[in-house]
């Protein structure tokens, strides 16, 4: 009888955990973890889609949603903590990434720490606010304590994830079922947190979910009114970037685990640093200066339209369109010249595309859709000026050429110091400044896609949810790719 029950349980769990008795190799564990991840993601999409729907204002639905979130976070904390302990225990046997290391890994980790710090500060302010509510409103004590617990676990998950990725930034961990399954759990939790936040934003204005929040003293608290409401718009956008960047680094760690044993183990040696010639240093300073000079008009025009004119001043809109057009033309020229110079240098292929390249290709489709929407709005008369049409055309050209350059160059290296390498590195630095400037503006620009910018369009909820993340992801990962290009071709 017990054997029959055991066989039935194995049969029922087979779609989620397709592990046979012979499934003892890392490869089988990788396939099972990927299948498990795909099934969990499908369940998360349905679960949080339902819990964020029209009846999410009900108290039972509210607590059900947050109960699901706290379960996800607990799983994520346990998974990342187990990986952190496991990586520490196998540190004497790990291998260095060596020459195959992504040149932009330090910059990516710097942004990851920045995003994590912003997210931690945001959650810390929420904890203090809920603690004050628990003291002042005894009737709302359970609700406040529950959300304090959620935010505390949220901070633990964020901190442990940053620690794990930083601790193993230059090492190849051994491919095991534990590694693959734990990373799959963390990726699922990152997706659940991002998806629940996105779906809530999509339905918030329709189902009036803030009605339940108003029952507590969160929105009416002194901390929230004087501090939280002022900095939420600054601290909240990095939340999306943190999920995507952390997931990207985790996937890279997963892929690198397949190379364990194929490269020679190295010790923790300090990086050999060479003095950069003053000529190369001067060119880099010139490139940074040019990049800032090119993007200053865009920055000033966007700030004026966003905070002063609410995108209703025609002349400032024309100035922005002209500035964006000139910047796009400059980027197109730089990308084309870099491609020409790369062909002149004898290159060495690095193999398949990086995880960052796949995200870049995917997000570039969102950029194309965003520019096409602006193009159609300009043609049909929904913009203040026809110059928007020109800027969108050159924006699509810039997206195509830049994506092609970054995905191609990520698999190649320069074998020696040549004049072409110095020129490519300078062009790459200008692209870094341009993309990160756009990323900052798009992340904090409340009118990137609104009825204020495109006159006559009324409902932008779906467009904002779909396009804004892709636009910001593309600019951020383009900046990382351009920085890798700069580091790879910078003469020593």
């Amino acid at each position: 009888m017990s054997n029959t029950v055991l066989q039935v349980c194995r049969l029922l769990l087979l779609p989620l955990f397709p592990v046979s008795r012979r499934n003892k190799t890392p490869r089988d564990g990788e396939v099972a973890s990927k299948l498990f991840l795909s099934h969990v993601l499908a369940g998360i999409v349905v679960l949080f889609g339902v819990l964020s729907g029209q009846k999410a204002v009900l108290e039972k639905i509210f607590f059900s949603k947050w109960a699901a979130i706290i379960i996800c976070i607990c799983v994520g904390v346990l998974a990342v903590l187990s990986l952190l302990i496991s990586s520490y225990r196998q540190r004497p046997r790990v291998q260095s990434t060596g020459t195959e290391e992504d040149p932009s890994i330090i910059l990516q980790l710097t942004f990851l720490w920045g995003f994590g710090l912003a997210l931690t500060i945001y959650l810390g302010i929420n904890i203090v606010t809920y603690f004050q509510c628990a003291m002042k409103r005894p009737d709302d004590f359970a609700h406040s304590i529950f959300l304090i617990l959620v935010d505390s676990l949220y901070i633990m998950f964020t901190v442990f994830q940053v620690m794990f990725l930083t601790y193993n930034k230059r090492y190849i961990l051994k491919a095991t079922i534990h590694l693959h399954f734990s990373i799959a759990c963390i990726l699922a939790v990152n997706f659940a947190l991002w998806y629940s936040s996105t779906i809530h934003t999509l339905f918030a204005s329709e189902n009036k979910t803030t009605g339940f929040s108003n029952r507590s003293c969160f929105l009416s608290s002194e901390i929230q009114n004087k501090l939280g409401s002022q900095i939420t718009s600054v601290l909240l956008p990095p939340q999306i970037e943190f999920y995507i960047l952390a997931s990207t680094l985790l996937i890279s760690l997963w892929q690198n685990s397949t190379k364990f044993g194929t490269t020679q183990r190295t010790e923790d040696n300090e990086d050999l640093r060479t003095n950069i010639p003053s000529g190369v240093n001067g060119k880099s300073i010139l490139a940074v200066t040019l990049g800032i000079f090119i993007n200053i008009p865009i920055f000033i025009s966007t700030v004026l339209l966003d905070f002063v004119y609410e995108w209703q001043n025609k002349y400032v809109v024309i100035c922005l369109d002209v500035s964006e057009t000139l910047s796009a033309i400059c980027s197109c020229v730089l990308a084309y010249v870099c491609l020409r110079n790369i062909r002149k240098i004898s290159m060495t292929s690095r193999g398949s595309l990086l995880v960052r390249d796949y995200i870049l290709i995917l997000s570039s489709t969102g950029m194309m859709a965003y520019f096409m929407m602006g193009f159609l709005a300009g043609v049909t008369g929904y913009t203040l000026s026809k110059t928007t049409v020109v800027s969108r055309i050159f924006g699509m050209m810039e997206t195509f050429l830049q994506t092609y350059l970054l995905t191609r160059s990520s698999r190649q290296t320069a074998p020696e110091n040549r004049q072409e390498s110095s020129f490519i590195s300078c062009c790459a630095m200008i692209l870094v400044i341009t993309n990160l400037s756009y990323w900052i503006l798009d992340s904090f620009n409340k009118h990137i896609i609104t009825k204020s910018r495109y006159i006559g369009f009324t409902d932008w909820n779906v467009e904002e949810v779909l396009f804004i993340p892709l636009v910001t992801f593309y600019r951020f990962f383009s900046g990382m790719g351009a920085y890798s290009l700069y580091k790879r071709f910078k003469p020593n």
Side-chain angles (χ1 to χ4, degrees), residues 342-356:
I342 287 176
R343 293 193 184 100
K344 297 179 182 179
I345 306 176
S346 177
M347 307 303 297
T348 303
S349 177
R350 289 169 51 94
S352 59
L353 294 173
L354 301 175
V355 178
R356 183 190 65 237

Side-chain angles (χ1 to χ4, degrees), residues 50-104:
V50 173
L51 295 180
S52 301
Q54 296 293 328
K55 295 184 179 181
V57 293
L58 300 179
E59 185 171 348
K60 292 182 179 180
I61 301 297
F62 178 86
F63 279 107
S64 298
K65 176 183 176 180
W66 282 101
I69 291 177
I70 200 172
I71 292 174
C72 291
I73 296 177
C74 288
V75 172
V77 169
L78 293 176
V80 70
L81 187 59
S82 66
L83 278 181
L84 191 59
I85 296 174
S86 175
S87 63
Y88 176 77
R89 294 179 62 183
Q90 65 172 290
R91 177 47 56 94
R93 302 187 301 275
V94 298
Q95 297 175 331
S96 173
T97 53
T99 57
E100 296 187 359
E101 177 183 325
D102 186 356
S104 67

Side-chain angles (χ1 to χ4, degrees), residues 291-305 311 316 319-328 331 398 434 437-438 441-442 445 453 475:
I292 295 175
F293 177 78
I294 292 171
N295 293 280
I296 279 180
I298 300 175
F299 186 85
I300 295 176
S301 300
T302 303
V303 169
L304 289 176
L305 288 171
W311 293 87
V316 182
C319 181
L320 175 64
D321 291 334
V322 173
S323 302
E324 288 182 342
T325 301
L326 294 177
S327 177
S331 298
E398 174 198 9
T434 299
S437 298
Y438 272 112
L441 292 175
D442 294 340
N445 183 6
R453 185 166 186 175
R475 289 301 183 181

Side-chain angles (χ1 to χ4, degrees), residues 108-126 151 154-163 166 231-232 234-243 245-246 444:
Q108 293 184 52
L109 287 173
T110 302
F111 276 101
L112 184 70
W113 276 82
F115 297 153
L117 179 61
L119 181 57
T120 303
I121 294 174
Y122 172 75
L123 295 172
I125 294 174
N126 287 349
D151 289 336
Y154 207 152
I155 292 177
M156 291 177 57
F157 177 63
T158 303
V159 172
F160 286 158
Q161 198 168 180
V162 172
M163 289 174 58
T166 305
I231 64 175
T232 296
V234 178
L235 297 179
L236 199 55
Q239 181 179 356
I240 299 178
E241 278 84 357
F242 178 84
Y243 297 141
L245 183 56
F444 300 101

